[in-house]
Amino acid sequence: GGRRAMRLPVLRPTAASVLLSVSMMAPPPGNAPDQSSQTRNQKTFLRSASAVLWDVDGTLVDSTGLGFTATNEVLSTNSYRIIDEADYKLGCRYTTPDRFNFHVQQPPGSEEGKRLGDIFDATYVNRVSERTAGLFDGMEQLLRSLALSGHPQGVLSNACGAYVRAVVAANALDEVPGQRIALFGVVVGADEVAEAKPSGAGLLHCCEVLDAVPEASVYVGDSPTDGQAARNAGMLSIGVTWGANKKSDLVDHFDSVVTDVPALIVALRDALGDSK
C-alpha cells in the first residue's frame, strides 16, 4: 500500500515542473502581461498539455450484456461451448481476436481467434446503441466538465475502431456539423495502432495527436492491461472497479484505483493538478 501511495506524488511534480518551465519560456504576446494574466496563461498551457485518455468497455460504458451475448452467439454457432459472464470479463483484457483464442483455448495469435473475432465485430458493432452501450451514471457530466476545463480527451480501446466510434456516436459524443462538436480529439481501436495494450504505443499515438505530454497525462481503465499500457507509455493511470475486474486485480497495475465516479473525479483532480 505504501509503495503505491507514493507513486503519484513522485511523478506529478516532475511532470508539472517540466510543463511549467516550458510555458514560462514562451514569449508573452505584445506588452508584458500582468501577473494574473501570466498565471492564467500558464494554467491554460498546463491543462492543454495534460490529456485524459479513456478505455471504453467497463470504463466509460456499460456494454457487458452486449459483448457477452454476441460472444456466446459466435461461439455456439461455430460449435464451441458457451461461456459464463465471469469468463467473458476475464477475456476482456485481451484484444478481440485473442479474447476468442482465450475462450476456445487456442494460443495467442492463432488464426481461429481472428476468424471468430471478425464474425464478432460484424455482429456487435451493428447492435451498439445508447441502451446496449450507454455511459455509466455520472460519466457524461465528468467528460463535459473536463472538456470545459481545457483538458483534451481521447479514447483507446482494445476493441476495433469501428466499434469505438459507434459507441461514441451512440452516446452523442461525436461531432455532428451544425449540431455539436466532438468531445474527444482522438478515437482509436486496437486495429488502428502499432501495438495493442499492454503496449504503450496506442497511448503515445493519442498523446501525439492531442499534442499532449504523456508524463502529464492520465489513462483511465478497468483492466490490468490498461494500467500496464499507461506505465509503458510513461503516463499516470487510474483503475476503476465498475468494469471487468475487482480492486485486488488492479492495485498492482495502476497508480490509484477508485470504486465510484465521485472518487474518480477526486483522483483526476489530484493527478492533473487541478486541485491546487
Side-chain angles (χ1 to χ4, degrees):
R3 178 179 61 82
R4 286 188 296 274
M6 291 178 63
R7 189 181 309 279
L8 280 173
V10 169
L11 288 174
R12 277 202 315 277
T14 303
S17 62
V18 169
L19 290 175
L20 188 57
S21 64
V22 172
S23 71
M24 293 178 70
M25 288 169 58
N31 296 328
D34 58 30
Q35 184 117 16
S36 62
S37 178
Q38 283 183 331
T39 300
R40 284 196 301 272
N41 289 343
Q42 288 166 2
K43 285 184 177 180
T44 299
F45 175 84
L46 289 170
R47 290 183 173 182
S48 67
S50 301
V52 180
L53 303 179
W54 300 90
D55 173 53
V56 180
D57 296 318
T59 300
L60 284 178
V61 303
D62 183 4
S63 56
T64 297
L66 169 64
F68 176 55
T69 300
T71 294
N72 272 333
E73 285 181 18
V74 172
L75 290 173
S76 62
T77 56
N78 285 272
S79 302
Y80 289 105
R81 68 171 183 85
I82 62 172
I83 58 173
D84 60 23
E85 188 171 308
D87 226 8
Y88 168 75
K89 287 185 174 181
L90 194 58
C92 285
R93 63 189 63 187
Y94 305 111
T95 61
T96 301
D98 276 339
R99 182 168 67 79
F100 275 94
N101 280 325
F102 170 76
H103 293 323
V104 302
Q105 300 179 320
Q106 291 292 315
S110 296
E111 280 300 311
E112 181 66 351
K114 183 181 185 311
R115 185 183 73 85
L116 296 172
D118 287 345
I119 298 171
F120 174 82
D121 286 343
T123 302
Y124 93 140
V125 170
N126 293 328
R127 298 182 185 177
V128 171
S129 68
E130 191 175 7
R131 181 183 64 80
T132 61
L135 292 166
F136 285 105
D137 288 345
M139 196 58 70
E140 181 176 1
Q141 295 93 323
L142 172 55
L143 294 172
R144 298 196 182 282
S145 175
L146 284 167
L148 287 171
S149 72
H151 291 290
Q153 296 180 86
V155 170
L156 172 68
S157 171
N158 259 355
C160 69
Y163 168 76
V164 180
R165 285 182 287 278
V167 169
V168 170
N171 288 280
L173 304 176
D174 61 334
E175 180 175 3
V176 176
Q179 294 184 35
R180 59 176 183 258
I181 61 172
L183 203 63
F184 301 116
V186 58
V187 177
V188 290
D191 57 332
E192 299 167 329
V193 295
E195 294 177 314
K197 298 177 289 188
S199 166
L203 292 175
L204 291 174
H205 166 73
C206 290
C207 286
E208 183 178 3
V209 172
L210 296 173
D211 201 21
V213 176
E215 293 80 4
S217 300
V218 186
Y219 188 45
V220 185
D222 73 314
S223 171
T225 51
D226 295 328
Q228 292 161 11
R231 287 185 181 170
N232 288 332
M235 294 177 63
L236 303 171
S237 60
I238 301 172
V240 303
T241 61
W242 51 79
N245 294 277
K246 55 186 183 293
K247 186 173 183 177
S248 60
D249 296 325
L250 302 177
V251 289
D252 289 334
H253 304 287
F254 288 89
D255 295 317
S256 62
V257 177
V258 298
T259 58
D260 55 35
V261 173
L264 174 59
I265 294 171
V266 173
L268 280 169
R269 284 176 178 165
D270 185 34
L272 295 167
D274 288 356
S275 56
K276 298 177 181 178

PDB file of all heavy atoms in Angstrom, residues 252-269:
ATOM      1  N   ASP A 252      -1.999  -3.506  -8.355  1.00  0.00           N
ATOM      2  CA  ASP A 252      -0.584  -3.618  -8.705  1.00  0.00           C
ATOM      3  C   ASP A 252      -0.250  -2.989 -10.057  1.00  0.00           C
ATOM      4  O   ASP A 252       0.932  -2.888 -10.405  1.00  0.00           O
ATOM      5  CB  ASP A 252      -0.153  -5.089  -8.720  1.00  0.00           C
ATOM      6  CG  ASP A 252      -0.100  -5.690  -7.324  1.00  0.00           C
ATOM      7  OD1 ASP A 252       0.088  -4.921  -6.354  1.00  0.00           O
ATOM      8  OD2 ASP A 252      -0.249  -6.921  -7.190  1.00  0.00           O
ATOM      9  N   HIS A 253      -1.269  -2.594 -10.797  1.00  0.00           N
ATOM     10  CA  HIS A 253      -1.037  -2.132 -12.169  1.00  0.00           C
ATOM     11  C   HIS A 253      -1.364  -0.659 -12.386  1.00  0.00           C
ATOM     12  O   HIS A 253      -1.026  -0.108 -13.447  1.00  0.00           O
ATOM     13  CB  HIS A 253      -1.854  -2.986 -13.140  1.00  0.00           C
ATOM     14  CG  HIS A 253      -1.574  -4.449 -13.023  1.00  0.00           C
ATOM     15  ND1 HIS A 253      -0.404  -5.014 -13.475  1.00  0.00           N
ATOM     16  CD2 HIS A 253      -2.295  -5.460 -12.460  1.00  0.00           C
ATOM     17  CE1 HIS A 253      -0.415  -6.320 -13.229  1.00  0.00           C
ATOM     18  NE2 HIS A 253      -1.554  -6.608 -12.621  1.00  0.00           N
ATOM     19  N   PHE A 254      -2.040  -0.033 -11.434  1.00  0.00           N
ATOM     20  CA  PHE A 254      -2.434   1.372 -11.568  1.00  0.00           C
ATOM     21  C   PHE A 254      -1.829   2.216 -10.456  1.00  0.00           C
ATOM     22  O   PHE A 254      -1.539   1.718  -9.366  1.00  0.00           O
ATOM     23  CB  PHE A 254      -3.964   1.509 -11.518  1.00  0.00           C
ATOM     24  CG  PHE A 254      -4.664   1.011 -12.750  1.00  0.00           C
ATOM     25  CD1 PHE A 254      -5.054  -0.316 -12.857  1.00  0.00           C
ATOM     26  CD2 PHE A 254      -4.949   1.868 -13.806  1.00  0.00           C
ATOM     27  CE1 PHE A 254      -5.709  -0.787 -13.995  1.00  0.00           C
ATOM     28  CE2 PHE A 254      -5.601   1.414 -14.942  1.00  0.00           C
ATOM     29  CZ  PHE A 254      -5.978   0.087 -15.041  1.00  0.00           C
ATOM     30  N   ASP A 255      -1.686   3.515 -10.716  1.00  0.00           N
ATOM     31  CA  ASP A 255      -1.219   4.438  -9.689  1.00  0.00           C
ATOM     32  C   ASP A 255      -2.259   4.613  -8.588  1.00  0.00           C
ATOM     33  O   ASP A 255      -1.912   4.816  -7.429  1.00  0.00           O
ATOM     34  CB  ASP A 255      -0.887   5.797 -10.314  1.00  0.00           C
ATOM     35  CG  ASP A 255       0.290   5.701 -11.273  1.00  0.00           C
ATOM     36  OD1 ASP A 255       1.283   5.028 -10.938  1.00  0.00           O
ATOM     37  OD2 ASP A 255       0.218   6.288 -12.369  1.00  0.00           O
ATOM     38  N   SER A 256      -3.526   4.554  -8.968  1.00  0.00           N
ATOM     39  CA  SER A 256      -4.601   4.591  -7.978  1.00  0.00           C
ATOM     40  C   SER A 256      -5.797   3.842  -8.535  1.00  0.00           C
ATOM     41  O   SER A 256      -5.930   3.681  -9.751  1.00  0.00           O
ATOM     42  CB  SER A 256      -4.991   6.033  -7.615  1.00  0.00           C
ATOM     43  OG  SER A 256      -5.474   6.725  -8.754  1.00  0.00           O
ATOM     44  N   VAL A 257      -6.659   3.369  -7.648  1.00  0.00           N
ATOM     45  CA  VAL A 257      -7.856   2.620  -8.039  1.00  0.00           C
ATOM     46  C   VAL A 257      -9.052   3.224  -7.310  1.00  0.00           C
ATOM     47  O   VAL A 257      -8.987   3.496  -6.106  1.00  0.00           O
ATOM     48  CB  VAL A 257      -7.725   1.119  -7.688  1.00  0.00           C
ATOM     49  CG1 VAL A 257      -9.018   0.372  -8.030  1.00  0.00           C
ATOM     50  CG2 VAL A 257      -6.543   0.504  -8.416  1.00  0.00           C
ATOM     51  N   VAL A 258     -10.148   3.454  -8.048  1.00  0.00           N
ATOM     52  CA  VAL A 258     -11.346   4.065  -7.457  1.00  0.00           C
ATOM     53  C   VAL A 258     -12.553   3.157  -7.659  1.00  0.00           C
ATOM     54  O   VAL A 258     -12.592   2.352  -8.584  1.00  0.00           O
ATOM     55  CB  VAL A 258     -11.618   5.457  -8.063  1.00  0.00           C
ATOM     56  CG1 VAL A 258     -10.450   6.400  -7.761  1.00  0.00           C
ATOM     57  CG2 VAL A 258     -11.857   5.362  -9.569  1.00  0.00           C
ATOM     58  N   THR A 259     -13.542   3.330  -6.785  1.00  0.00           N
ATOM     59  CA  THR A 259     -14.708   2.449  -6.801  1.00  0.00           C
ATOM     60  C   THR A 259     -15.987   3.133  -7.265  1.00  0.00           C
ATOM     61  O   THR A 259     -17.011   2.473  -7.426  1.00  0.00           O
ATOM     62  CB  THR A 259     -14.945   1.854  -5.404  1.00  0.00           C
ATOM     63  OG1 THR A 259     -15.114   2.925  -4.455  1.00  0.00           O
ATOM     64  CG2 THR A 259     -13.757   1.008  -4.970  1.00  0.00           C
ATOM     65  N   ASP A 260     -15.950   4.456  -7.461  1.00  0.00           N
ATOM     66  CA  ASP A 260     -17.134   5.149  -7.978  1.00  0.00           C
ATOM     67  C   ASP A 260     -16.700   6.439  -8.687  1.00  0.00           C
ATOM     68  O   ASP A 260     -15.539   6.868  -8.589  1.00  0.00           O
ATOM     69  CB  ASP A 260     -18.160   5.430  -6.877  1.00  0.00           C
ATOM     70  CG  ASP A 260     -17.588   6.208  -5.697  1.00  0.00           C
ATOM     71  OD1 ASP A 260     -16.715   7.082  -5.915  1.00  0.00           O
ATOM     72  OD2 ASP A 260     -18.006   5.951  -4.556  1.00  0.00           O
ATOM     73  N   VAL A 261     -17.641   7.045  -9.393  1.00  0.00           N
ATOM     74  CA  VAL A 261     -17.323   8.243 -10.187  1.00  0.00           C
ATOM     75  C   VAL A 261     -16.915   9.426  -9.310  1.00  0.00           C
ATOM     76  O   VAL A 261     -15.961  10.143  -9.665  1.00  0.00           O
ATOM     77  CB  VAL A 261     -18.495   8.598 -11.127  1.00  0.00           C
ATOM     78  CG1 VAL A 261     -18.245   9.936 -11.821  1.00  0.00           C
ATOM     79  CG2 VAL A 261     -18.681   7.499 -12.172  1.00  0.00           C
ATOM     80  N   PRO A 262     -17.563   9.692  -8.170  1.00  0.00           N
ATOM     81  CA  PRO A 262     -17.079  10.793  -7.329  1.00  0.00           C
ATOM     82  C   PRO A 262     -15.608  10.621  -6.916  1.00  0.00           C
ATOM     83  O   PRO A 262     -14.848  11.598  -6.907  1.00  0.00           O
ATOM     84  CB  PRO A 262     -18.011  10.740  -6.108  1.00  0.00           C
ATOM     85  CG  PRO A 262     -19.289  10.190  -6.662  1.00  0.00           C
ATOM     86  CD  PRO A 262     -18.859   9.164  -7.668  1.00  0.00           C
ATOM     87  N   ALA A 263     -15.209   9.388  -6.616  1.00  0.00           N
ATOM     88  CA  ALA A 263     -13.807   9.145  -6.267  1.00  0.00           C
ATOM     89  C   ALA A 263     -12.908   9.329  -7.484  1.00  0.00           C
ATOM     90  O   ALA A 263     -11.756   9.782  -7.361  1.00  0.00           O
ATOM     91  CB  ALA A 263     -13.643   7.740  -5.692  1.00  0.00           C
ATOM     92  N   LEU A 264     -13.415   9.012  -8.676  1.00  0.00           N
ATOM     93  CA  LEU A 264     -12.649   9.224  -9.904  1.00  0.00           C
ATOM     94  C   LEU A 264     -12.408  10.712 -10.135  1.00  0.00           C
ATOM     95  O   LEU A 264     -11.311  11.119 -10.549  1.00  0.00           O
ATOM     96  CB  LEU A 264     -13.384   8.608 -11.097  1.00  0.00           C
ATOM     97  CG  LEU A 264     -12.781   8.872 -12.481  1.00  0.00           C
ATOM     98  CD1 LEU A 264     -11.346   8.353 -12.567  1.00  0.00           C
ATOM     99  CD2 LEU A 264     -13.642   8.221 -13.571  1.00  0.00           C
ATOM    100  N   ILE A 265     -13.410  11.529  -9.872  1.00  0.00           N
ATOM    101  CA  ILE A 265     -13.266  12.970 -10.029  1.00  0.00           C
ATOM    102  C   ILE A 265     -12.136  13.491  -9.146  1.00  0.00           C
ATOM    103  O   ILE A 265     -11.277  14.266  -9.584  1.00  0.00           O
ATOM    104  CB  ILE A 265     -14.600  13.683  -9.703  1.00  0.00           C
ATOM    105  CG1 ILE A 265     -15.671  13.311 -10.739  1.00  0.00           C
ATOM    106  CG2 ILE A 265     -14.403  15.199  -9.660  1.00  0.00           C
ATOM    107  CD1 ILE A 265     -17.063  13.781 -10.377  1.00  0.00           C
ATOM    108  N   VAL A 266     -12.109  13.037  -7.904  1.00  0.00           N
ATOM    109  CA  VAL A 266     -11.061  13.460  -6.971  1.00  0.00           C
ATOM    110  C   VAL A 266      -9.696  12.990  -7.455  1.00  0.00           C
ATOM    111  O   VAL A 266      -8.713  13.740  -7.437  1.00  0.00           O
ATOM    112  CB  VAL A 266     -11.346  12.921  -5.555  1.00  0.00           C
ATOM    113  CG1 VAL A 266     -10.172  13.210  -4.616  1.00  0.00           C
ATOM    114  CG2 VAL A 266     -12.628  13.525  -4.997  1.00  0.00           C
ATOM    115  N   ALA A 267      -9.621  11.729  -7.902  1.00  0.00           N
ATOM    116  CA  ALA A 267      -8.346  11.177  -8.362  1.00  0.00           C
ATOM    117  C   ALA A 267      -7.829  11.905  -9.592  1.00  0.00           C
ATOM    118  O   ALA A 267      -6.622  12.145  -9.727  1.00  0.00           O
ATOM    119  CB  ALA A 267      -8.508   9.687  -8.656  1.00  0.00           C
ATOM    120  N   LEU A 268      -8.730  12.281 -10.497  1.00  0.00           N
ATOM    121  CA  LEU A 268      -8.322  13.021 -11.691  1.00  0.00           C
ATOM    122  C   LEU A 268      -7.826  14.421 -11.324  1.00  0.00           C
ATOM    123  O   LEU A 268      -6.815  14.886 -11.855  1.00  0.00           O
ATOM    124  CB  LEU A 268      -9.490  13.119 -12.679  1.00  0.00           C
ATOM    125  CG  LEU A 268      -9.747  11.883 -13.531  1.00  0.00           C
ATOM    126  CD1 LEU A 268     -11.085  11.998 -14.256  1.00  0.00           C
ATOM    127  CD2 LEU A 268      -8.617  11.677 -14.543  1.00  0.00           C
ATOM    128  N   ARG A 269      -8.520  15.083 -10.425  1.00  0.00           N
ATOM    129  CA  ARG A 269      -8.070  16.408  -9.995  1.00  0.00           C
ATOM    130  C   ARG A 269      -6.679  16.331  -9.382  1.00  0.00           C
ATOM    131  O   ARG A 269      -5.827  17.189  -9.621  1.00  0.00           O
ATOM    132  CB  ARG A 269      -9.057  16.990  -8.977  1.00  0.00           C
ATOM    133  CG  ARG A 269     -10.348  17.511  -9.578  1.00  0.00           C
ATOM    134  CD  ARG A 269     -11.290  17.980  -8.503  1.00  0.00           C
ATOM    135  NE  ARG A 269     -12.520  18.536  -9.047  1.00  0.00           N
ATOM    136  CZ  ARG A 269     -13.635  18.755  -8.339  1.00  0.00           C
ATOM    137  NH1 ARG A 269     -13.647  18.454  -7.060  1.00  0.00           N
ATOM    138  NH2 ARG A 269     -14.695  19.246  -8.903  1.00  0.00           N
TER     139      ARG A 269
END
